[in-house]
């Protein structure tokens, strides 16, 4: 099945800084989602983005399906952005697979 | 619109006990699935269902049973709990298959002593 990798594994930022998180996947996809898991363990769906670019406030995401990667951009980071960011993808007819996550800590 | 509802939120079991984790969705989604998340790791698929009466195994199915008698409900059964099943369990649903946007419940934190 599809394999999903994320980088970096850990990221520490000062409040106000920008960051880019990367997700690589091993095969073509018909689903790619970015999630934020907050410190209470809740999974928040950020983007459904199998291709193209989307923006939602300070967050945006781009998936280049032909090159098998997706990027999540966080601008002007806030302490509430802390947590783990997961990328997950599904190949046609196969199951939804999660990457190992990027742990983000935003310091005040 | 409640979305995906999981109960209970927390549970402590003794080794060998059985229990059922409940998952219900009110969006008339065909596809439902169960994941477990171990500390410091991503989510791994346990079982999934593409519709009422149809279930299949995911990556880590051993020790778990599922059934899908209705579109709305997809319970996960632990037949004889083991400490290795200590984890956080998430249920998800989507309109059709893994290629559609997945909606997740709030999770059930399970400890097996």
């Amino acid at each position: 099945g599809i394999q999903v990798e994320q980088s970096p594994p850990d990221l520490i930022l000062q409040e106000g800084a920008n960051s880019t998180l990367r997700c690589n996947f091993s095969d073509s996809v018909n689903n790619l989602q970015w999630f934020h898991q907050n410190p209470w363990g809740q999974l928040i769906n950020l983007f459904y983005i199998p291709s193209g670019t989307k923006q939602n406030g300070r967050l945006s995401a781009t998936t280049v399906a032909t090159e098998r990667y997706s990027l999540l951009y966080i601008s002007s980071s806030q302490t509430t952005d802390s947590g783990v960011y997961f990328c997950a993808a599904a190949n046609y007819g196969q199951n939804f697979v999660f990457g190992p996550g990027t742990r983000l800590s935003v310091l005040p | 619109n409640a979305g995906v509802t999981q109960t209970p939120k927390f549970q402590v079991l003794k080794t060998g006990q059985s229990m059922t984790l409940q998952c219900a969705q009110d969006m008339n989604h065909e596809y439902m699935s169960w994941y477990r998340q171990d500390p410091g790791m991503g989510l791994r698929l346990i079982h999934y269902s593409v519709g009422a009466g149809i279930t299949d195994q995911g990556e880590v199915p051993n020790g778990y049973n599922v059934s899908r008698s209705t579109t709305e409900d997809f319970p996960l059964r632990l037949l004889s709990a083991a400490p290795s099943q200590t984890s956080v369990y998430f249920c998800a649903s989507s309109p059709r298959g893994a290629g559609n946007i997945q909606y997740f419940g709030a999770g059930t934190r399970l400890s097996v002593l």
Side-chain angles (χ1 to χ4, degrees):
Chain A
I2 195 169
Q3 300 194 17
V4 180
E5 300 175 346
Q6 293 185 246
S7 59
D10 296 281
L11 188 58
I12 301 175
L13 299 174
Q14 208 68 38
E15 199 168 26
N18 302 330
S19 62
T20 300
L21 282 58
R22 186 177 179 102
C23 172
N24 292 333
F25 40 94
S26 61
D27 208 338
S28 55
V29 298
N30 63 345
N31 182 5
L32 190 133
Q33 288 178 242
W34 283 97
F35 297 89
H36 175 217
Q37 188 167 41
N38 63 24
W40 297 270
Q42 188 178 10
L43 275 174
I44 310 297
N45 182 47
L46 298 176
F47 294 102
Y48 170 73
I49 187 164
S51 63
T53 297
K54 291 185 178 179
Q55 180 154 9
N56 185 3
R58 295 181 296 104
L59 273 60
S60 64
T62 295
T63 297
V64 183
T66 53
E67 297 187 23
R68 300 182 184 171
Y69 73 88
S70 183
L71 302 174
L72 178 69
Y73 305 97
I74 305 174
S75 64
S76 304
S77 58
Q78 301 175 357
T79 56
T80 52
D81 294 331
S82 295
V84 183
Y85 289 80
F86 289 106
C87 164
N91 191 1
Y92 294 87
Q94 296 191 11
N95 289 316
F96 197 54
V97 175
F98 277 77
T102 292
R103 182 173 297 277
L104 175 65
S105 299
V106 181
L107 306 179
Chain B
N1 190 343
V4 180
T5 302
Q6 291 185 236
T7 56
K9 287 186 170 49
F10 303 94
Q11 183 70 48
V12 179
L13 294 177
K14 294 182 179 179
T15 296
Q17 287 185 314
S18 63
M19 81 157 294
T20 299
L21 279 63
Q22 301 291 345
C23 177
Q25 52 90 9
D26 61 358
M27 298 174 280
N28 200 31
H29 286 170
E30 295 179 2
Y31 184 89
M32 296 184 73
S33 53
W34 276 102
Y35 294 82
R36 61 176 287 171
Q37 184 181 25
D38 298 315
M41 296 180 65
L43 280 68
R44 292 183 293 168
L45 183 65
I46 304 171
H47 285 286
Y48 64 97
S49 168
V50 299
I54 306 170
T55 64
D56 207 343
Q57 296 181 350
E59 180 186 355
V60 288
N62 292 342
Y64 307 95
N65 269 4
V66 291
S67 60
R68 184 95 178 271
S69 56
T70 67
T71 299
E72 294 78 20
D73 299 299
F74 190 42
L76 178 72
R77 298 183 188 84
L78 282 70
L79 304 176
S80 178
S84 61
Q85 294 178 304
T86 294
S87 191
V88 181
Y89 292 85
F90 289 94
C91 178
S93 76
S94 73
R96 282 178 301 170
N100 288 263
I101 186 168
Q102 304 289 312
Y103 298 88
F104 280 80
T108 295
R109 189 174 296 273
L110 176 67
S111 294
V112 182
L113 307 178

